[in-house]
Amino acid sequence: MSSVLYDAPGPVTRRRTLISSIVAGIILLAVVVVVVLRLVAQGQFTAEKWGPLVNPLNPDFAAVWTLFGQALVATLAAAGLTLVFSLVIGTVLAMTRVTAAKWYRWLVVGVVEFLRGVPVVIAIFFAARVLPEVGISLPIIWYLVIGLTLYNCVIIAEILRAGINSLPKGQSEAGYSLGLTRGQVLRSIQLPQAFRIMLPALISQLVVIVKDTSLGFIISYEEFVRTANIIIQTLRNPIQTYAVVAVIFILINYTLSKLAEYVERRLSRGRRGGVTPTDTEHEAEAGVGAVTGG
């Protein structure tokens, strides 16, 4: 059986693929075994190294996980604030770019493209070093939030703009026919649907924000990486401590990724449930009528 884009692999190709997968798996397993044996030989699996992290009876266990708990709160606080500000500013940028007249649209596009091209580390460092020089003194968390927001707001703006552009033209035409302005159509009809359509992508961006909070160590913000460095200076177990930090990040981001997949499945199921473009246009007209009081 063949598909539109390619022919289905035959018996020979499937056998070669299976053999290649087995060989790659064996090589990967061999590498893992060699690494584990080297770590064992260097004493990296001793109770002295892992006890403060996994053994509740260890005298350092409570102190270590108290620091990790504080780091988790600091990380989630920075990520939450960044998400809120990025959503608000990103929404405004998306609306401005969509509705901007030609004579100043280049300025909006220029700002978006400039911020997209600036590395996140530089944005954070700029906020932490330049703002105090001009007399703007803030708690250290805000320098991290400002740096992360500068980058993520334009990413969210582009996500929302893509959602708006994906809507059928009949959506906006229905609003114009009832006398709504471009801004009213955008706020009342297009933006709510764009948020719903692009919600999985927005949640995926939250995963990026959570990971990027680890860059706060460059300005001495007490998030996971900075806290891990403090713990390592005392316990002298960098491999074990960074492994725990990695597992925590993986669990948080895995949960967010699964949430994005769940939302995407729900939205896909809703679109397959018989909602046609005509139905959507009727809904839009009804929504416009409710807004205008008609």
Side-chain angles (χ1 to χ4, degrees), residues 82 85 208 245:
T82 300
F85 286 111
V208 176
V245 171

Side-chain angles (χ1 to χ4, degrees), residues 113-182:
E113 295 301 324
F114 172 76
L115 292 178
R116 285 178 64 186
V118 173
V120 185
V121 174
I122 293 179
I124 296 172
F125 187 82
F126 179 88
R129 293 295 179 268
V130 175
L131 293 182
E133 294 294 330
V134 297
I136 302 177
S137 181
L138 299 169
I140 193 169
I141 184 176
W142 289 107
Y143 298 130
L144 177 60
V145 170
I146 290 171
L148 293 177
T149 300
L150 286 174
Y151 175 77
N152 287 282
C153 70
V154 295
I155 301 300
I156 289 177
E158 290 299 281
I159 291 173
L160 292 177
R161 186 173 70 90
I164 292 171
N165 291 338
S166 69
L167 296 174
K169 290 185 178 181
Q171 300 274 332
S172 55
E173 292 173 354
Y176 296 145
S177 66
L178 294 175
L180 294 183
T181 64
R182 181 70 181 95

Side-chain angles (χ1 to χ4, degrees), residues 16 95 130 148 178 266 276:
R16 289 176 178 172
M95 293 176 62
V130 175
L148 293 177
L178 294 175
R266 289 296 301 269
T276 63

Side-chain angles (χ1 to χ4, degrees), residues 8-260:
V12 175
T13 302
R14 289 199 298 269
R15 184 165 58 251
R16 289 176 178 172
T17 302
L18 177 61
I19 293 173
S20 300
S21 300
I22 293 174
V23 172
I26 293 174
I27 294 174
L28 179 60
L29 179 61
V31 171
V32 171
V33 169
V34 170
V35 171
V36 170
L37 291 176
R38 292 293 299 273
L39 292 176
V40 170
Q42 295 175 8
Q44 296 297 332
F45 287 95
T46 61
E48 181 183 358
K49 296 286 188 180
W50 286 97
L53 299 169
V54 299
N55 184 8
L57 300 179
N58 190 285
D60 296 322
F61 181 86
V64 167
W65 283 99
T66 297
L67 289 175
F68 275 142
Q70 295 170 353
L72 177 62
V73 172
T75 295
L76 295 180
L81 289 170
T82 300
L83 178 64
V84 171
F85 286 111
S86 296
L87 277 174
V88 173
I89 299 174
T91 300
V92 173
L93 281 175
M95 293 176 62
T96 303
R97 183 166 182 178
V98 170
T99 60
K102 291 183 178 180
W103 64 271
Y104 71 91
R105 182 177 300 162
W106 64 270
L107 179 60
V108 180
V109 175
V111 170
V112 170
E113 295 301 324
F114 172 76
L115 292 178
R116 285 178 64 186
V118 173
V120 185
V121 174
I122 293 179
I124 296 172
F125 187 82
F126 179 88
R129 293 295 179 268
V130 175
L131 293 182
E133 294 294 330
V134 297
I136 302 177
S137 181
L138 299 169
I140 193 169
I141 184 176
W142 289 107
Y143 298 130
L144 177 60
V145 170
I146 290 171
L148 293 177
T149 300
L150 286 174
Y151 175 77
N152 287 282
C153 70
V154 295
I155 301 300
I156 289 177
E158 290 299 281
I159 291 173
L160 292 177
R161 186 173 70 90
I164 292 171
N165 291 338
S166 69
L167 296 174
K169 290 185 178 181
Q171 300 274 332
S172 55
E173 292 173 354
Y176 296 145
S177 66
L178 294 175
L180 294 183
T181 64
R182 181 70 181 95
Q184 290 173 326
V185 169
L186 185 60
R187 292 191 303 271
S188 303
I189 301 175
Q190 293 180 310
L191 261 184
Q193 295 183 79
F195 271 107
R196 186 179 64 185
I197 294 171
M198 305 306 292
L199 187 57
L202 292 173
I203 296 176
S204 297
Q205 190 60 30
L206 176 58
V207 173
V208 176
I209 292 174
V210 172
K211 290 191 294 185
D212 285 348
T213 57
S214 62
L215 298 174
F217 81 93
I218 66 173
I219 58 172
S220 300
Y221 181 65
E222 301 293 340
E223 45 69 53
F224 268 123
V225 175
R226 174 70 176 175
T227 300
N229 289 333
I230 295 174
I231 293 172
I232 290 168
Q233 290 174 8
T234 303
L235 300 180
R236 305 297 180 183
N237 58 348
I239 295 177
Q240 294 75 13
T241 301
Y242 283 133
V244 170
V245 171
V247 169
I248 294 173
F249 268 115
I250 289 171
L251 289 176
I252 294 174
N253 292 326
Y254 179 79
T255 302
L256 293 174
S257 298
K258 287 300 178 182
L259 176 61

